[in-house]
């Protein structure tokens, strides 16, 4: 202890030494472990409970639809009250209770309603936790990927380990596993501290920022991107099961992609500030196009399909890093909660709702391979839209951005973004 006390401190950015990295990482781990249990297996759980493809698509569509307005409400409440951590814990606790009730509810109506109620609460959790994380990091945002990667590790652990467990115990036990993982995340969240709040801007200030062409283009691009993921989140497990994969193999396919995502998050942190975020977004969408086309080509070849799943590092990992960092840069501190909420609402909310609902409606009416091709078209459109908005010649970008109120200041202050 004496030697350590005399050793000069490492030159790190202000606040870095005080970042509760282990607790933030632990929250990410257990929260996304629960999501890793939910996303691959919820469709199979609903199928086991007697829902048909259209009802499953409706459930996923409504669940995604809660992301359209619920994150904004919780973001508004957190920004206005300054009690962001309390919002995080309250929403997560209520979501836990909703999911724990699933085994006791009849299908389909009450079961679907409980899933929707879960979504209304859980969609107030992660958007605000991202804001809390960036508030702890302040200018040291290069550390974000290495904190966020623990969410991916949790996702992998849940997907890989839960598959064999569900083969043994049955998929009916799924709600208990998800509720338990959320409970651990809630307990870790209790050990975090609230940061001093930044005075919240009003609604007029929010919409001044939100209606800038750069922001609108980014939100539209994220919406299209998540429409492209509709069949993936709702029907990938069912698609693989129809092609002869067991639950353990399905879990393995999900986890392989997230392993690649972890490697990306680990390696990209120190380089993130030197990379073009709009170009990362474009590459993520091109990777999604390639991924869906390879999926339908290789579904009957497990080894090659597993290799194609490595594209998840780009199709989701690069997408997430580009989107959350652009939102964090485009919105001032007083609007961070609602800025992230707008992103969640447009992308995982409206985009996910449209993608989930449309996939359910079309799944038994069209050739399934055609649905994946259509999803690829939406991903390509998303990438091209954001590339055009951010990557067009500088004179074009500035003329468009300066046409909206308040955008001139952003163009002057952040020419790297606009």
């Amino acid at each position: 202890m004496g030697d350590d006390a005399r050793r000069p401190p490492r030159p790190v950015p202000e606040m870095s030494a005080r970042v509760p990295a282990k607790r933030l990482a632990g929250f990410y781990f257990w929260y996304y472990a629960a999501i890793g249990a939910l996303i691959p297996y919820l469709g199979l759980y609903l199928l086991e409970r007697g829902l048909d493809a259209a009802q499953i698509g409706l459930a996923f569509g409504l669940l995604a639809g809660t992301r359209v307005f619920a994150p904004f409400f919780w973001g508004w409440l957190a920004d206005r009250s300054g009690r962001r951590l309390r919002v995080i814990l309250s929403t997560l606790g209520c979501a836990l209770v909703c999911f724990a009730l699933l085994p006791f509810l009849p299908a389909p109506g009450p079961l679907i309603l409980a899933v929707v109620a879960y979504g209304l609460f859980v969609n107030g959790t992660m958007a605000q936790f991202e804001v809390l994380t960036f508030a702890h990091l302040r200018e040291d945002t290069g550390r974000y990927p290495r904190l966020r990667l623990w969410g991916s590790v949790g996702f992998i652990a849940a997907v890989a380990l839960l598959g064999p467990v569900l083969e043994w115990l049955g998929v009916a036990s799924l709600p208990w596993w998800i509720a338990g993982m959320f409970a651990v995340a809630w307990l870790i969240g209790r050990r975090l501290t609230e940061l001093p709040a930044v005075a919240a801007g009003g609604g007029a200030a929010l919409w001044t920022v939100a209606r800038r062409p750069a922001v609108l283009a980014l939100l539209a691009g994220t919406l299209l991107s998540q429409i492209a993921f509709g069949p993936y989140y709702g029907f990938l497990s069912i698609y693989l099961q129809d092609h002869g994969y067991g639950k353990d193999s399905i879990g393995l396919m999900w986890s392989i992609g997230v392993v690649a995502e972890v490697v990306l998050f680990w390696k990209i942190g120190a380089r993130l500030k030197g990379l073009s975020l709009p170009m990362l977004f474009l590459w993520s969408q091109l990777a999604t196009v390639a991924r869906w086309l390879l999926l339908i080509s290789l579904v009957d070849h497990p080894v090659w399909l597993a290799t194609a799943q490595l594209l998840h590092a780009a199709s989701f990992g690069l997408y997430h890093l580009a989107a959350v960092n652009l939102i964090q840069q485009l919105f001032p501190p007083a609007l961070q909660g609602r800025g992230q909420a707008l992103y969640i609402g447009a992308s995982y909310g409206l985009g996910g709702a449209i993608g989930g609902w449309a996939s359910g409606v079309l799944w038994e009416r069209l050739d399934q391979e055609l649905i994946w091709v259509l999803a690829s078209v939406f991903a390509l459109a998303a990438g091209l839209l954001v590339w055009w908005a951010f990557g067009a010649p500088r004179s074009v970008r500035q003329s468009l951005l300066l046409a909206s109120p308040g955008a001139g200041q952003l163009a002057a202050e952040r020419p790297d973004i606009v």
Side-chain angles (χ1 to χ4, degrees):
M1 279 295 285
D3 292 339
D4 290 340
R6 291 191 295 270
R7 186 178 299 146
R10 290 183 299 165
V12 295
E14 184 184 359
M15 283 291 292
S16 290
R18 297 200 295 272
V19 172
K22 291 183 179 179
R23 295 173 188 176
L24 294 172
F27 189 95
Y28 277 120
F29 179 95
W30 287 104
Y31 178 90
Y32 280 107
I35 301 302
L38 185 150
I39 291 177
Y41 301 118
L42 180 59
L44 297 176
Y45 174 78
L46 297 176
L47 189 66
E48 172 115 339
R49 293 291 306 272
L51 277 67
D52 59 26
Q55 291 168 332
I56 293 172
L58 176 64
F60 275 97
L62 291 174
L63 177 59
T66 62
R67 301 188 187 114
V68 176
F69 55 89
F72 185 82
F73 169 76
W74 296 117
W76 170 83
L77 185 61
D79 283 344
R80 299 296 294 182
S81 69
R83 303 282 186 175
R84 198 171 309 278
L85 184 58
R86 180 175 294 180
V87 169
I88 292 168
L89 294 175
S90 298
T91 55
L92 183 59
C94 291
L96 185 166
V97 172
C98 289
F99 222 91
L101 291 174
L102 291 187
F104 305 104
L105 298 175
L111 186 61
I112 293 175
L113 287 176
V115 170
V116 174
Y118 153 81
L120 290 172
F121 289 111
V122 81
N123 286 309
T125 303
M126 186 46 65
Q128 301 314 309
F129 191 77
E130 296 277 39
V131 176
L132 184 67
T133 298
F134 277 112
H136 277 291
L137 294 175
R138 296 183 65 179
E139 298 302 318
D140 195 13
T141 55
R143 294 183 65 183
Y144 170 77
R146 292 200 174 186
L147 291 174
R148 175 57 180 79
L149 73 82
W150 287 103
S152 302
V153 172
F155 188 100
I156 294 167
V159 171
L161 297 176
L162 200 56
V165 171
L166 294 179
E167 285 281 12
W168 176 43
L169 295 178
V171 75
S173 65
L174 178 68
W176 302 115
W177 295 104
I178 294 174
M181 294 171 192
F182 276 144
V184 177
W186 187 87
L187 290 172
I188 293 173
R190 291 269 299 173
R191 300 184 63 205
L192 291 167
T193 55
E194 192 81 73
L195 291 180
V198 178
L206 174 68
W207 296 117
T208 297
V209 176
R211 69 173 180 258
R212 291 169 178 162
V215 177
L216 292 174
L218 177 61
L219 294 176
T222 62
L223 181 148
L224 292 172
S225 175
Q226 291 309 299
I227 291 176
F229 265 80
Y232 181 75
Y233 289 131
F235 291 93
L236 176 65
S237 296
I238 295 173
Y239 183 65
L240 294 178
Q241 183 172 263
D242 289 345
H243 283 264
Y245 290 78
K247 294 182 181 63
D248 50 351
S249 297
I250 292 171
L252 179 63
M253 288 298 173
W254 281 87
S255 62
I256 286 171
V258 189
V259 168
E261 177 189 315
V262 169
V263 175
L264 173 78
F265 283 151
W266 182 261
K267 293 292 186 181
I268 204 172
R271 302 175 179 87
L272 190 59
K273 286 188 176 181
L275 297 174
S276 166
L277 296 176
M279 284 303 298
L280 290 183
F281 190 99
L282 174 61
W283 282 110
S284 74
Q285 299 313 296
L286 295 177
T288 302
V289 172
R291 187 180 180 192
W292 295 166
L293 297 180
L294 287 171
L295 170 64
I296 60 179
S297 302
L298 303 173
V299 67
D300 295 318
H301 305 278
V303 174
W304 289 110
L305 180 60
T307 303
Q309 278 291 88
L310 296 175
L311 285 170
H312 185 78
S315 66
F316 176 78
L318 289 183
Y319 161 81
H320 179 74
L321 289 177
V324 298
N325 278 277
L326 281 169
I327 291 293
Q328 190 264 340
Q329 292 175 0
L330 288 167
F331 285 83
L335 301 175
Q336 283 289 300
R338 281 167 285 177
Q340 292 291 346
L342 282 175
Y343 156 60
I344 296 294
S347 57
Y348 300 106
L350 186 57
I354 295 171
W357 171 78
S359 298
V361 169
L362 298 175
W363 195 253
E364 294 178 345
R365 300 182 183 184
L366 293 181
D367 183 85
Q368 293 175 358
E369 283 68 30
L370 179 58
I371 294 174
W372 294 106
V373 172
L374 291 173
S376 299
V377 173
F378 279 99
L380 181 61
L384 292 177
L385 173 62
V386 173
W387 171 81
W388 182 86
F390 288 86
R394 184 179 177 84
S395 59
V396 176
R397 295 206 314 272
Q398 288 185 334
S399 64
L400 288 172
L401 288 164
L402 292 173
S404 62
Q409 183 179 356
L410 178 65
E413 294 175 354
R414 299 302 306 267
D416 57 315
I417 299 174
V418 300

